[in-house]
Amino acid sequence: SIFPIPPDIILILMVISNRAKSWIYAIICTVSSVLGGIIGYLIGAFFFGTIGVFILETYNLIDNFDEIKNYYYKYGIWIVLIGGLTPFPYKLITISSGFFSLSLPIFILMSFVSRGTRFFIVTLLLWYFGPSIKVYIEKHLSKLTILFLLLLIAGFLLIKLL
């Protein structure tokens, strides 16, 4: 919840340095991110007025917190799912989830799905293409995330139609 470096950067470096352990790194990154997310959730639920505000102010995220308040009650599950896939600050998502009392089991499930998907896609690309894809991922992560999100939504719509 307070680690200042995005986990993607560390994951990229570790996978490039040892491709044989790529999948172990993706699992560790996913589990660690979700555990950190649970800590953020608990900060939001129980310590928002002290620790939560401090963390959000430290990262200049306090203004964003007020913006999502109205949408959180209505779309909380989707915010966690989509927010965990995108470069949007996950710290804000976790603290908000606790503060707005999103179901903890739902939060954990959506965090595993979104963070795991994100980290395993990065790992898959690095494992398959090697170090040459690193620059491409770093440069186009936002576009790749949006593309994946659109494909994910299309998949859900297709399943609903069937």
Side-chain angles (χ1 to χ4, degrees):
S1 293
I2 57 172
F3 195 61
I5 301 170
D8 307 79
I9 295 169
I10 297 168
L11 177 63
I12 289 168
L13 295 174
M14 292 178 74
V15 170
I16 288 173
S17 70
N18 189 350
R19 285 172 60 186
K21 293 186 176 180
S22 297
W23 307 111
I24 293 170
Y25 297 146
I27 291 168
I28 291 169
C29 197
T30 301
V31 171
S32 298
S33 181
V34 173
L35 289 174
I38 293 169
I39 292 170
Y41 181 99
L42 295 174
I43 289 170
F46 301 109
F47 305 106
F48 182 77
T50 54
I51 299 170
V53 170
F54 172 76
I55 291 172
L56 294 177
E57 285 176 347
T58 301
Y59 289 98
N60 292 324
L61 298 173
I62 199 73
D63 293 336
N64 294 19
F65 187 80
D66 289 333
E67 291 176 22
I68 67 166
K69 184 193 311 187
N70 296 328
Y71 295 102
Y72 217 89
Y73 292 114
K74 193 171 187 179
Y75 304 110
I77 294 171
W78 290 103
I79 290 172
V80 175
L81 184 64
I82 294 168
L85 288 169
T86 66
F88 189 80
Y90 189 60
K91 290 166 186 48
L92 179 59
I93 302 289
T94 65
I95 293 170
S96 299
S97 294
F99 182 76
F100 296 125
S101 301
L102 182 69
S103 163
L104 183 58
I106 295 288
F107 169 79
I108 292 170
L109 177 64
M110 292 299 106
S111 293
F112 266 113
V113 169
S114 63
R115 300 305 275 178
T117 300
R118 178 183 174 127
F119 299 137
F120 275 86
I121 286 174
V122 169
T123 300
L124 175 67
L125 292 171
L126 288 167
W127 179 82
Y128 186 77
F129 292 107
S132 63
I133 194 75
K134 175 184 174 274
V135 174
Y136 185 83
I137 290 173
E138 288 173 347
K139 186 176 180 181
H140 300 287
L141 183 60
S142 295
K143 292 176 189 170
L144 290 170
T145 301
I146 291 168
L147 175 63
F148 175 76
L149 184 59
L150 291 174
L151 291 172
L152 181 69
I153 292 169
F156 280 123
L157 292 174
L158 181 62
I159 290 170
K160 189 176 180 179
L161 292 174
L162 298 175

